[in-house]
Amino acid sequence: MFKLLARKWALNDPLPVKADFVVCISFGSTSEYLTIGSTNVMNRAYDIAHTRHCPVYWGVFSENPVGGSGHEIEVKARIFNQVGSVFVGNVSSTTEECEAIREYWNIHIEGEPTTIVVVTDGAHSRRARIVWKHFFPNTDIRFRSIPAESCADLFSPMRLQRGWRRWLLFNIIFTPLYKYRPGVAWIAKHNFHQPTV
């Protein structure tokens, strides 16, 4: 039943012919390896960027354990530099990651992006879409999701993502708070993020 719910909840929009950039949502790292979610999202983002000939924009989870952020930077830079990449820094939440990318775009690029592809896990995709549409209201944003069950990691620094069913339920319950009240602007101002180790 949970797998069926997860498949229905996940966003998988048609990929555009061209995109300004692909976003790789951070799912953290231990001090020794990228989490399973991070690895799967990174690989999918790379594949899309490679076939669409566009860069990947990415950040690193700031609440990683000691050594984890350096490891995440090293692995992702090695992969993404093959297609071109923009590192936006340390971020603690999807809202902060989106804000960092918006800020980078405003400083370095003229005009609005036409199309963005955001890669995340299926449980997180609907809540993330609300955030991205808030910060890029005039942009065509396409979501591609990794199955939620293939992103769970018992050693993730993000406690809720250690069990995919719990992470799915959290997203289903909290998505209306992003869409309605208190809304993305209020949540971004207070920068809520997942409980960590």
Side-chain angles (χ1 to χ4, degrees):
M1 182 179 108
F2 268 100
K3 285 189 179 180
L4 178 62
L5 179 59
R7 279 196 297 276
K8 294 280 189 190
W9 184 257
L11 295 175
N12 277 298
D13 300 320
L15 283 173
V17 174
K18 290 179 66 177
D20 292 281
F21 58 90
V22 175
V23 175
C24 174
I25 299 289
S26 175
F27 284 86
S29 177
T30 71
S31 57
E32 297 172 10
Y33 70 90
L34 289 184
T35 63
I36 295 167
S38 254
T39 301
N40 289 337
V41 169
M42 175 188 69
N43 289 337
R44 181 71 55 84
Y46 170 84
D47 289 344
I48 294 169
H50 180 70
T51 59
R52 298 302 183 271
H53 307 290
C54 63
V56 177
Y57 283 41
W58 57 284
V60 165
F61 186 53
S62 61
E63 305 296 317
N64 282 328
V66 174
S69 293
H71 181 72
E72 190 175 358
I73 290 170
E74 179 186 327
V75 172
K76 288 182 174 178
R78 185 173 66 244
I79 299 297
F80 291 148
N81 285 344
Q82 297 174 48
V83 291
S85 74
V86 173
F87 174 58
V88 297
N90 293 322
V91 295
S92 63
S93 65
T94 297
T95 6
E96 193 174 52
E97 196 161 26
C98 191
E99 283 180 307
I101 291 170
R102 174 84 255 187
E103 183 178 339
Y104 177 88
W105 184 272
N106 288 346
I107 292 169
H108 298 283
I109 316 282
E110 190 174 319
E112 286 292 302
T114 304
T115 308
I116 301 170
V117 178
V118 179
V119 183
T120 188
D121 83 293
H124 183 237
S125 59
R126 288 183 187 265
R127 188 164 55 93
R129 178 169 61 184
I130 295 165
V131 171
W132 280 85
K133 287 308 285 179
H134 175 81
F135 286 101
F136 291 90
N138 302 314
T139 300
D140 179 14
I141 302 172
R142 311 283 182 96
F143 273 80
R144 298 301 288 180
S145 296
I146 304 298
E149 63 268 23
S150 69
C151 290
D153 190 320
L154 290 175
F155 300 100
S156 173
M158 302 175 189
R159 279 196 244 158
L160 292 171
Q161 289 183 282
R162 293 175 187 167
W164 70 270
R165 291 172 185 87
R166 177 177 50 217
W167 178 231
L168 175 64
L169 288 176
F170 171 86
N171 277 280
I172 290 171
I173 291 165
F174 280 89
T175 293
L177 298 178
Y178 282 70
K179 189 168 185 174
Y180 303 111
R181 286 194 179 171
V184 174
W186 187 87
I187 289 168
K189 181 180 176 184
H190 293 85
N191 194 28
F192 291 107
H193 61 80
Q194 285 195 54
T196 55
V197 182

